[in-house]
Amino acid sequence: MLTALRGGHGDAPDALRIDGHAMSRERLLAAATAAADRFAGASAVAVLARPTAATVTAVVGGLLAGVPVVPLPPDAGPKERDHILRDSGAALLAVGPGEQVPDGVTIPAVPVDPAARSATTHPEPEPGATALVLYTSGTTGAPKGAVVSRRAVAADLDALAAAWAWTAEDTLVHGLPLFHVHGLVLGVLGALRTGSRLVHTGRPTPAAYAAAGGTLYFGVPTVWSRVAADEAAARSLAGARLLVSGSAPLPVPVFERLQALSGQRPIERYGMTETLITVSTRADGERRPGSVGIPVEGVRTRLLGEDGTPLPHDGESVGELQVRGATLFDGYLGRPDADAQSWTDDGWFRTGDVAVVGADGFHRIVGRASVDLIKSGGFKIGAGEVEAALRDHPAVSDAAVVGAPDTDLGQAVVAYVVTDGAVTGDQLSAFVADRLSVHKRPRRVVLVDELPRNAMGKVLKKQLLTES
């Protein structure tokens, strides 16, 4: 699965640089093999996934040993951490040198040293073997473990390499968390499959991105917003080949400012923990603001209405996005009930997201069906469309729209908006009504200092709904 570790792509002392720690691929392989020697035979190994060389060594060690790897968010609270460890059946916890084992953890801790070396040869696991158990955000209850096979990871990385013209000649730069698909699967395993050099900046600051000298950059909208606000940092990316944004919609003003300062039109892509990345703009295709592009190789999508009938690809019809293909997970660990709810009888995965598809196949994600498809006064309104209109106002820096219960309308459009203070809620509501249909205007606008977000930059809309 990690073909670059086996040679053929060349090597360098700093083929991987993780928060200032440089490693060659040969050194990583030797250290990861030493970790694999200790993990071999375990049911699963949890990795305290801090942005360190030890974390990368531990993840690769688990994959070499054929042991499912369970990335553990380092900032997880005791309840979430205990649930993940118990639910995954992890027998070991990998920790870096000098790292403290969290209080209350009872499984054996295994120190992983990036300086260790072993020449043991571990047999290559079957392609269908579990590579990772990735836990969802748990917005509808306790987090569920998505079982992701080696085959799915390889298929997705190859599809993205084709879509993004990603090769061993690239230098990938990012500073994303290593317990999510974006930062770990794409941002680490991708470099170890394509052979590209990897620079993980530790924290994804504009200054760190500017200094990295990459050709390929990954970021979430929060990262790109901060880069765009730092003119010198944004201009320094002019020599890059590709800026990739994901995990949440990239605001159009940020897209446009990045283009103006760096000359780069960012690429957006779409995926989930359960599906990996399924839809993306291509490096050699149109880069359209607000669009996530077309399905990657090996993936198909379809759009269904509430009655289960297919919807036209007309750029207007809003429906549930369903996907199938080689990148999908094998199911939720120990949760046949969740599997039954998530898959259709004919084998399609219900993403829970609502989308619009144009006649040219370009996909635009409206949002989550549970919080982003608002049914108000008999109309169906996509929250993302209203948010984009609000962000067009020069005084607005961020916005989130939800459907709050309303006795008259069923749901009322409520907007939470971050502004510079030079505009009122009524003015913003009128601003939207001038640009969209009147029924899409916010019935209430709440001015806030900031929006609640998770580690990947996604707005916690259910938290906003409890406040509506």
Side-chain angles (χ1 to χ4, degrees):
M1 184 172 68
L2 307 179
T3 51
L5 285 178
R6 301 299 185 186
H9 291 287
D11 203 356
D14 61 348
L16 300 98
R17 184 174 292 276
I18 303 150
D19 198 18
H21 184 106
M23 301 179 76
S24 66
R25 282 187 284 269
E26 184 277 332
R27 182 176 170 187
L28 171 61
L29 178 59
T33 302
D37 294 344
R38 306 187 71 179
F39 298 160
S43 54
V45 57
V47 177
L48 199 59
R50 295 189 173 98
T52 64
T55 290
V56 174
T57 301
V59 170
V60 175
L63 297 174
L64 291 177
V67 173
V69 175
V70 184
L72 189 65
D75 61 348
K79 184 176 181 180
E80 179 184 1
R81 182 177 60 243
D82 292 349
H83 167 75
I84 292 174
L85 292 175
R86 182 177 60 256
D87 186 73
S88 67
L92 303 171
L93 174 66
V95 296
E99 290 183 341
Q100 296 295 316
V101 177
D103 292 340
V105 173
T106 58
I107 62 174
V110 178
V112 173
D113 185 356
R117 301 188 73 88
S118 171
T120 305
T121 300
H122 291 269
E124 180 71 16
E126 291 296 320
T130 299
L132 302 162
V133 182
L134 300 170
Y135 277 78
T136 63
S137 59
T139 55
T140 57
K144 300 187 291 290
V147 178
V148 181
S149 71
R150 303 171 71 88
R151 180 187 291 114
V153 172
D156 199 53
L157 294 177
D158 288 348
L160 293 176
W164 298 343
W166 183 4
T167 72
E169 301 302 313
D170 280 305
T171 294
L172 169 62
V173 177
H174 73 93
L176 302 173
L178 299 187
F179 49 90
H180 285 288
V181 167
H182 198 168
L184 179 60
V185 178
L186 277 61
V188 174
L189 305 187
L192 297 178
R193 185 163 178 85
T194 62
S196 66
R197 183 168 172 259
L198 169 64
V199 178
H200 190 288
T201 60
R203 295 182 61 241
T205 65
Y209 274 39
T215 62
L216 177 61
Y217 286 79
F218 291 168
V220 297
T222 301
V223 171
W224 291 125
S225 178
R226 292 171 181 171
V227 170
D230 186 325
E231 183 172 342
R235 290 190 184 281
S236 73
L237 302 184
R241 187 178 63 78
L242 216 59
L243 310 182
V244 180
S245 183
S247 299
L250 182 68
V252 172
V254 176
F255 182 107
E256 293 174 341
R257 183 165 172 81
L258 284 172
Q259 180 183 2
L261 294 175
S262 71
Q264 301 285 340
R265 291 176 68 83
I267 272 183
E268 291 193 70
R269 89 296 181 281
Y270 165 79
M272 301 176 64
T273 301
E274 294 90 341
T275 66
L276 304 182
I277 307 306
T278 52
V279 181
S280 179
T281 305
R282 295 184 60 88
D284 59 357
E286 181 184 357
R287 306 180 192 182
R288 188 180 302 170
S291 170
V292 293
I294 61 177
V296 301
E297 185 177 338
V299 171
R300 289 189 291 155
T301 66
R302 69 181 184 185
L303 203 63
L304 299 184
E306 288 185 290
D307 60 358
T309 58
L311 294 178
H313 291 184
D314 56 9
E316 296 182 3
S317 300
V318 179
E320 183 194 15
L321 184 66
Q322 298 182 357
V323 301
R324 69 185 305 170
T327 71
L328 270 64
F329 75 139
D330 291 335
Y332 294 110
L333 185 65
R335 291 292 305 273
D337 57 325
D339 288 341
Q341 294 173 3
S342 299
W343 296 86
T344 65
D345 291 340
D346 57 348
W348 292 76
F349 179 73
R350 298 184 172 103
T351 66
D353 285 323
V354 286
V356 172
V357 182
D360 56 4
F362 268 62
H363 290 52
R364 179 166 57 84
I365 306 300
V366 175
R368 296 296 292 170
S370 58
V371 293
D372 290 312
L373 183 60
I374 302 169
K375 300 175 184 178
S376 182
F379 296 100
K380 293 180 182 178
I381 302 167
E385 184 180 22
V386 183
E387 290 163 355
L390 286 165
R391 293 190 189 106
D392 283 341
H393 194 287
V396 173
S397 58
D398 208 353
V401 169
V402 297
D406 185 271
T407 55
D408 179 42
L409 298 170
Q411 289 181 304
V413 178
V414 178
Y416 290 80
V417 184
V418 180
T419 76
D420 62 8
V423 67
T424 67
D426 288 344
Q427 289 171 330
L428 290 174
S429 183
F431 182 82
V432 173
D434 286 343
R435 281 155 180 76
L436 307 177
S437 301
V438 173
H439 68 266
K440 296 179 181 179
R441 74 190 187 283
R443 301 290 177 143
R444 183 159 60 96
V445 176
V446 182
L447 302 181
V448 296
D449 292 331
E450 62 180 2
L451 299 174
R453 295 180 181 273
N454 65 14
M456 295 304 290
K458 294 182 180 179
V459 177
L460 303 175
K461 290 198 172 183
K462 292 196 174 181
Q463 181 175 324
L464 292 177
L465 277 169
T466 63
E467 301 170 1
S468 299

